[in-house]
């Protein structure tokens, strides 16, 4: 029986994954049942310099932040419809008359850690920030403790009244919200960011192992003062006053966030990278009192690296990468020791560096970067810029068994760093580049331009066991350099052709370099190489005459685009197979993986209600503009082993796929659907912004 779990990574580094389980029918089964289990852990970070000095603990969500100081709890909330920094709503719950020397303790320490590599001053980096399940204010009032914790996606706080202590001491002064009580005793706090609800408190005592309810509720006084009414109770026993804060819009993304790449290690842990502006608040300088160091610049976006355990329920670490301007992690790889390599782009001239090959920002709007994190995610092994005086971007990387890293992407710089180049001169408007870094990351073994007089983009790279590198992407350059080509001429008209290039192990020549395409437009997004040196690529095409061979689907199905899946023979001169895959709408291939047997795993997105399905766990196109899909084909791409939609009523995009041990298949992407399967049982998990990230795991058993 195959089983699939779907975990909504809402807020990315701010919350670990929820869990939803579907049984999937094995091949050729007729029907599958469904069962659901879901949980949303909330954690609190100790303040180690990532927040203002008066903050003791903070809980970060993608719609805002909760700060806990010695005198108050502060909610920084961003409204759903106006996520600009200036529109943040601050709601303060001050503990009136409380003990200013109350001890504030983290409890139930979690295995996860948070790391902040922001800016190029190592003194300001923060690593191994501990996470806790609970925060306790000890003796906040005489005989009364206050405990904050998460429960099922909501924040709860309990006042724990010791035997003989007086609950009438408790008084909360609200600021930044207008409060009122509804007919059910719930406290409604109206803010510019929307409605914050504190449900009517559960007041109870534990007596001889039995919970006994005590009558009572909120009392709303003047000037935002809230206290508690408690009816007669047994003062010989402790009393618990348990309000609940519901974040109807707290979790989820108020701005753009997306997982762009994913990897799995030999133990089944999952690593993610991408971009996010929503796990914290990009605040305007000097405007607000609490400014976590990671997001102090208006509109800032940071790269992130997150590691989750094999179940998807525990966040092992989350590391932010960036400076004072945008940084995006485009691709991620893991070596055998668990070190994470991230390639991307940044606009920041203060990006964090360590033992760099290039120590200064090259210029223009963006430079590429390559960063290696240690296995704990709490230290940089190396981190470097790569770029010239114009626009440069690291798009994809690969790592060989010796720890050498191979990077490809885009450059518009005539002075891009080269070393022993195959092509020494910038070819035209935009070139691909291929660069190989030594294992220390502080030197180039080779670096070369790759392109013609037009636009050339390297979207993906792989390396075989001999050290040869394989690059794929797109070009509209009729004079793109070719060698030993399957297709030696450009056929794309006013569009693009796919490129597939193999660099020999010495980095001294193109083993082969070829166009691939028909008379319209196509683009390749992913490449994998098997043990024999056959290169498999996927992407999308608009060309009915796209080259096919031994095709599962021999003809273009219609719509704007079809997926293509193509495998080149090891010498690059012939195709082992090439097939369309799609329905009557637009279909797009984005992520690709191969298992040890050569089976092919795909993800992407489709606009086709008749997309080819096989033993699908979601048989219906859910609607909106696109659904994600997950598919598996046999090694010759002659049989669809399974294929399924994945999505809700809005828009989904599958971006990356990775294989773990024991049949684990991991898929990530983004969703705009409030009814995406991962959030169906807890709608507050979708934050109300443009999109949330998702992570899906299938286990073949």
């Amino acid at each position: 029986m195959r089983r699939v779990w779907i975990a909504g990574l809402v807020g990315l580094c701010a919350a670990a994954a929820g869990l939803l389980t579907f049984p999937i029918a094995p091949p050729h089964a007729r029907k599958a049942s469904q069962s659901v289990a879901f949980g949303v852990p909330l954690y609190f970070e100790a303040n180690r310099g990532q927040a203002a000095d008066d903050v003791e603990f903070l809980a970060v969500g993608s719609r805002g932040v909760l700060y806990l100081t010695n005198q108050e709890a502060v909610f920084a909330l961003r409204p759903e419809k106006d996520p600009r920094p200036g529109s943040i709503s601050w709601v303060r719950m001050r503990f009136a008359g409380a003990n200013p020397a109350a001890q504030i303790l983290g409890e139930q320490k979690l295995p996860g850690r948070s790391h902040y590599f922001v800016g190029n001053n190592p003194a300001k980096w923060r690593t191994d920030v501990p996470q806790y399940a609970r925060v306790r204010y000890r003796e906040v009032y005489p005989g009364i403790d206050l405990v904050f914790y998460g429960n099922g996606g909501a924040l709860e706080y309990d006042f724990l009244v010791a035997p003989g202590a007086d609950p009438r001491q408790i008084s909360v002064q609200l600021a930044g919200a207008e409060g009122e009580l509804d007919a059910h005793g719930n406290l409604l706090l109206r803010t510019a960011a929307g409605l914050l609800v504190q449900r009517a408190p559960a007041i109870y005592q534990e007596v001889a192992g039995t919970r006994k309810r005590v009558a009572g509720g909120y009392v709303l006084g003047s000037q935002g003062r809230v206290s508690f009414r408690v009816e007669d109770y047994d003062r010989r026993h402790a009393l618990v006053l348990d309000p609940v804060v519901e974040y109807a819009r707290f979790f989820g993304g108020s701005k753009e966030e997306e997982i762009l790449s994913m990897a799995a290690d030999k133990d089944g842990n999952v690593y993610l990278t991408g971009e996010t502006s929503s796990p914290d608040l990009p605040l305007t300088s000097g405007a607000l009192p609490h400014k976590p160091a990671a997001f102090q610049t208006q509109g800032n976006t940071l790269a992130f690296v997150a590691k989750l355990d094999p179940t998807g329920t525990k966040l092992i670490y989350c590391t932010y990468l960036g400076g004072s301007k945008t940084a995006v992690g485009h691709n991620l790889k893991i070596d055998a020791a668990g070190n994470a390599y991230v390639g991307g782009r940044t606009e920041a001239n203060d990006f964090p560096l360590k033992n760099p090959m290039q120590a200064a920002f090259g210029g223009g709007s963006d430079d590429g970067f390559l960063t290696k994190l240690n296995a704990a995610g709490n230290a940089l092994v190396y981190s470097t810029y790569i770029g010239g005086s114009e626009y440069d971007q690291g798009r994809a990387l690969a790592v060989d068994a010796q720890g050498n890293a191979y990077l490809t992407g885009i450059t518009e710089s005539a002075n891009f760093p080269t070393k022993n180049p195959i092509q020494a001169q910038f070819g035209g408007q935009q070139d691909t580049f291929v660069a190989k870094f030594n294992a220390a990351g502080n030197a180039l073994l080779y670096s070369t331009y790759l392109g013609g007089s037009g636009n050339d983009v390297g979207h993906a790279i792989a390396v075989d066991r001999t050290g040869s590198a394989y690059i794929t992407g797109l070009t509209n350059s009729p004079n793109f350099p070719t060698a030993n080509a399957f297709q030696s001429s450009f056929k794309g008209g006013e569009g693009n052709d796919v490129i597939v290039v193999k660099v020999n192990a010495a980095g001294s020549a193109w083993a082969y370099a070829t166009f691939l395409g028909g008379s319209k437009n196509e683009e390749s997004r992913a490449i994998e190489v098997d043990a024999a040196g056959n290169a498999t690529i996927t992407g999308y095409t608009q060309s009915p005459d796209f080259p096919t061979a031994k095709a599962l689907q021999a003809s273009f199905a219609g719509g704007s685009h079809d997926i293509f899946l193509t495998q080149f023979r090891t010498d690059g001169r012939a195709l082992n197979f090439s097939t369309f895959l799609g329905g009557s709408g637009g279909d797009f291939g984005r992520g690709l993986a191969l298992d040890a047997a050569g089976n092919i795993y795909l993800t992407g997105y489709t606009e086709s209600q008749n997309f080819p399905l096989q033993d699908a766990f979601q048989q219906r196109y859910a609607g909106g503009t696109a659904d994600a899909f997950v598919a598996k084909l046999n090694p010759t791409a002659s049989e669809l082993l399974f294929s399924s939609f994945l999505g809700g009523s809005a828009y989904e995009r599958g971006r990356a796929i990775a294989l773990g041990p024991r049949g684990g298949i991991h898929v990530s992407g983004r969703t705009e659907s409030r009814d995406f399967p991962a959030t169906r049982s807890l709608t507050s998990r979708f934050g109300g912004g443009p999109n949330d990230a998702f992570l899906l795991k299938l286990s073949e058993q």
Side-chain angles (χ1 to χ4, degrees), residues 541-606:
T541 179
Q542 294 179 315
S543 301
D545 56 347
F546 186 88
T548 60
K550 300 179 180 178
L552 172 68
Q553 180 180 317
S555 60
F556 186 78
S560 59
H561 303 76
D562 264 8
I563 297 162
F564 71 81
L565 180 64
T566 301
Q567 186 177 95
F568 280 82
R569 200 173 65 189
T570 185
D571 63 3
R573 290 182 175 272
L575 304 179
N576 289 331
F577 60 78
S578 184
T579 184
F580 294 103
L581 183 66
S584 56
D587 310 287
F588 303 82
R590 297 300 298 264
L592 171 69
L594 305 179
D595 66 17
N599 295 302
I600 304 160
Y601 300 78
L602 293 176
T603 192
Y605 54 105
T606 179

Side-chain angles (χ1 to χ4, degrees), residues 58-83:
L58 62 154
V60 185
S62 53
R63 289 302 313 279
V65 184
L66 167 69
Y67 302 98
L68 299 177
T69 77
N70 67 342
Q71 288 288 293
E72 62 184 352
V74 182
F75 300 91
L77 304 175
R78 197 161 44 227
E80 178 178 352
K81 295 183 179 180
D82 187 9

Side-chain angles (χ1 to χ4, degrees), residues 100-184:
Q103 192 176 14
I104 307 175
L105 303 171
E107 296 183 334
Q108 297 179 12
K109 194 172 185 179
L110 300 171
R113 296 288 185 273
S114 296
H115 314 292
Y116 296 81
F117 295 104
V118 181
N120 59 5
N121 182 358
K124 295 183 178 180
W125 298 347
R126 297 293 180 265
T127 62
D128 288 313
V129 176
Q131 301 168 2
Y132 298 89
R134 298 159 59 95
V135 173
R136 180 184 295 267
Y137 287 68
R138 183 168 291 170
E139 291 282 322
V140 66
Y141 297 100
I144 300 174
D145 286 1
L146 170 61
V147 179
F148 285 87
Y149 59 98
N151 184 10
L155 173 77
E156 295 198 18
Y157 63 97
D158 295 351
F159 288 99
L160 308 179
V161 183
D166 187 356
R168 291 176 297 180
Q169 301 174 84
I170 301 169
S171 180
V172 178
Q173 183 76 48
L174 295 171
E178 296 182 4
E180 64 180 84
L181 296 177
D182 68 12
H184 304 286

Side-chain angles (χ1 to χ4, degrees), residues 553 557-563 581-588 605-613 619-629 645:
Q553 180 180 317
S560 59
H561 303 76
D562 264 8
I563 297 162
L581 183 66
S584 56
D587 310 287
F588 303 82
Y605 54 105
T606 179
E607 300 166 358
S608 301
Q609 296 189 32
N610 61 340
F611 186 83
L613 301 180
Q619 298 186 13
R620 182 181 61 85
Y621 180 78
T625 53
D627 270 5
F629 73 86
F645 292 115

Side-chain angles (χ1 to χ4, degrees), residues 400-451:
D400 65 21
Q402 290 73 44
N404 303 304
Y406 303 71
L407 189 69
T408 191
I410 304 166
T411 181
E412 296 178 0
S413 300
N415 60 344
F416 186 86
T418 59
K419 178 72 177 292
N420 303 320
I422 303 169
Q423 178 182 323
Q425 301 299 316
F426 181 63
Q429 301 173 38
Q430 185 179 76
D431 271 8
T432 298
F433 68 86
V434 188
K436 180 179 179 180
F437 290 77
N438 68 355
N442 58 5
L444 292 170
L445 300 179
Y446 66 76
S447 178
T448 183
Y449 290 105
L450 172 59

Side-chain angles (χ1 to χ4, degrees), residues 272-491:
L272 310 168
T273 194
E275 61 179 315
T276 180
S277 56
S278 57
D280 210 334
L281 297 175
L283 307 179
T284 55
S285 178
L288 298 168
H290 298 281
K291 295 191 294 184
F295 287 83
Q296 292 187 7
T297 304
Q298 183 173 351
N300 194 24
T301 296
L302 292 186
F304 69 90
V305 185
K307 178 181 178 181
L308 290 89
D309 78 337
T311 70
T313 60
K314 293 181 181 178
L315 186 65
I316 297 171
Y317 70 70
C318 189
T319 299
Y320 296 89
L321 282 173
S324 57
K325 293 185 178 180
T326 292
V328 178
H330 279 289
N331 201 234
L332 176 145
K333 291 293 186 292
I334 306 299
D335 66 18
N339 301 300
Y341 302 70
V342 184
R345 67 175 179 87
T346 182
E347 301 172 4
N349 61 10
D350 58 350
F351 189 83
L353 303 177
K354 179 74 177 290
N355 302 321
M357 181 279 297
Q358 178 180 323
F361 185 76
S365 60
D366 291 77
D367 263 10
F369 73 80
L370 176 64
T371 298
K372 179 180 178 180
L373 292 165
N374 69 352
N378 61 0
L380 302 178
V381 179
Y382 65 75
S383 184
T384 182
Y385 291 111
I386 180 168
S389 57
E390 302 297 333
Y391 177 84
D392 310 286
Q393 183 180 120
R395 295 285 300 180
L397 66 93
V399 179
D400 65 21
Q402 290 73 44
N404 303 304
Y406 303 71
L407 189 69
T408 191
I410 304 166
T411 181
E412 296 178 0
S413 300
N415 60 344
F416 186 86
T418 59
K419 178 72 177 292
N420 303 320
I422 303 169
Q423 178 182 323
Q425 301 299 316
F426 181 63
Q429 301 173 38
Q430 185 179 76
D431 271 8
T432 298
F433 68 86
V434 188
K436 180 179 179 180
F437 290 77
N438 68 355
N442 58 5
L444 292 170
L445 300 179
Y446 66 76
S447 178
T448 183
Y449 290 105
L450 172 59
S453 57
N455 292 306
D456 313 284
V457 177
H459 275 313
I461 188 169
V463 61
D464 67 20
R465 56 189 177 184
T466 72
S468 295
Y470 301 72
I471 301 93
T472 193
L474 65 90
T475 183
N476 62 12
S477 301
N479 60 340
F480 184 87
T482 60
N484 302 316
F486 163 75
Q487 180 181 317
S488 59
S489 61
F490 179 75
K491 294 185 178 180

